[in-house]
Amino acid sequence: GKKVELTRDEDVLDTWFSSWLWPFSTIGWPDETPEMDYYHPSDVLVSGYDIIFFWIARMIMADLYFTGKIPYHTVYITGMIKDKQGRWMSKSLGNGIDPLRMIDQYGADAVRYSLVVLTTEGQDINLDPTRFEMGRNFANKLWNAFRFLTTYPVERGADRVPFEKELADKWIESQFYKTAQEVQDKLSRYKLNEALLAIYRFTWNEFCDWYVESIKPRISQDADPAQATETLKFAYNMFDGIVRLLHP
């Protein structure tokens, strides 16, 4: 209710026009800053297809005009998230999905997993909350595998014995490195969902359902303690590799 005198800022540009300048204006331009030298031009821009002209093309034009450079060498175009009927999410329709609620219900990792798995190149995602269940199930599978391995004590102070890899150990190790190579290849070509599915198949079908089952006799109470310890350490290393592959 107070009477306030307002003054128009003289240095404000139209939203879309000012966004043209984003690749270089945020790191010190027009001055020659260390950030300009290090970060400009950048490498990859990730964007939805709805602003290819409104923003992506305009940034390229502005960059060429003011700096003589292309701001990034690759543009990764994502699909858009819509509701399960393929409609845009909006407040008026009341069909939006709050990601924070999904995180509370299913877990942050499950939400990330589900969204990445559903993201095929350039395709829209028709999203229903129940689709996060697959991410939750995978997180549970990982947790159960870890919990199983940690139920068996590892004799930290025990003398090391030579670990002779059995066929199952050699097989799971070879499958792990094949998976890691496939993941690296898929990530380098921005096929994020295919990379994640490769990790899923290895983790669920080969490590959990096959390898972990195969080592149970070798780590049981009746097994040789020293060999059981080395077997568990090897299994831990495989599990550690899975988590590292999943990290990106």
Side-chain angles (χ1 to χ4, degrees):
K2 294 182 180 180
K3 187 175 183 180
V4 179
E5 183 177 350
L6 301 177
T7 305
R8 182 188 297 273
D9 193 313
E10 297 177 355
D11 194 28
V12 174
L13 300 176
D14 164 79
T15 299
W16 286 114
F17 187 89
S18 63
S19 69
W20 292 25
L21 312 178
W22 186 88
F24 48 89
S25 66
T26 56
I27 48 179
W29 177 85
D31 298 328
E32 292 293 332
T33 64
E35 290 79 13
M36 276 286 289
D37 183 60
Y38 185 79
Y39 291 109
H40 185 269
S42 185
D43 292 324
V44 181
L45 178 78
V46 181
S47 176
Y49 56 75
D50 54 333
I51 54 173
I52 290 176
F53 177 73
F54 287 113
W55 193 29
I56 297 172
R58 296 183 185 204
M59 282 193 286
I60 295 172
M61 290 189 288
D63 225 298
L64 283 172
Y65 183 80
F66 288 109
T67 73
K69 298 177 181 178
I70 297 289
Y72 30 75
H73 58 66
T74 299
V75 178
Y76 179 73
I77 301 296
T78 69
M80 310 301 289
I81 295 180
K82 299 179 179 179
D83 72 5
K84 61 182 179 181
Q85 299 178 39
R87 302 174 300 176
W88 291 101
M89 293 185 184
S90 68
K91 290 181 180 179
S92 59
L93 288 176
N95 62 341
I97 297 176
D98 185 346
L100 294 180
R101 290 186 178 181
M102 297 299 100
I103 289 171
D104 288 340
Q105 184 172 352
Y106 297 103
D109 289 329
V111 170
R112 292 191 190 100
Y113 171 89
S114 302
L115 289 175
V116 174
V117 162
L118 293 170
T119 303
T120 53
E121 287 183 293
Q123 298 290 318
D124 289 340
I125 301 175
N126 293 352
L127 191 60
D128 183 81
T130 59
R131 303 191 78 170
F132 292 112
E133 291 177 2
M134 60 182 178
R136 181 193 60 194
N137 294 341
F138 184 54
N140 286 342
K141 191 74 170 179
L142 275 173
W143 170 246
N144 288 333
F146 174 74
R147 188 171 56 178
F148 169 77
L149 293 175
T150 54
T151 57
Y152 292 86
V154 174
E155 297 183 9
R156 303 288 181 186
D159 293 334
R160 292 293 300 272
V161 297
F163 179 55
E164 296 292 336
K165 294 178 184 176
E166 296 189 6
L167 180 61
D169 307 317
K170 295 176 181 178
W171 181 81
I172 197 66
E173 190 173 38
S174 69
Q175 292 302 103
F176 171 79
Y177 285 114
K178 286 180 182 179
T179 302
Q181 189 174 28
E182 182 180 358
V183 170
Q184 179 65 29
D185 173 64
K186 300 298 185 183
L187 289 179
S188 69
R189 294 187 287 128
Y190 308 103
K191 297 180 181 292
L192 307 184
N193 69 313
E194 293 183 20
L196 190 50
L197 285 171
I199 303 172
Y200 173 90
R201 287 192 297 270
F202 171 79
T203 304
W204 195 299
N205 300 338
E206 296 170 359
F207 182 77
C208 293
D209 286 357
W210 195 89
Y211 180 71
V212 170
E213 292 298 319
S214 76
I215 65 171
K216 284 182 178 180
R218 295 158 58 190
I219 60 177
S220 66
Q221 292 180 344
D222 298 329
D224 175 73
Q227 290 292 349
T229 293
E230 295 306 311
T231 300
L232 274 172
K233 287 179 179 178
F234 180 80
Y236 288 153
N237 286 336
M238 287 290 98
F239 187 86
D240 179 75
I242 290 170
V243 176
R244 291 174 187 273
L245 280 181
L246 281 169
H247 178 65

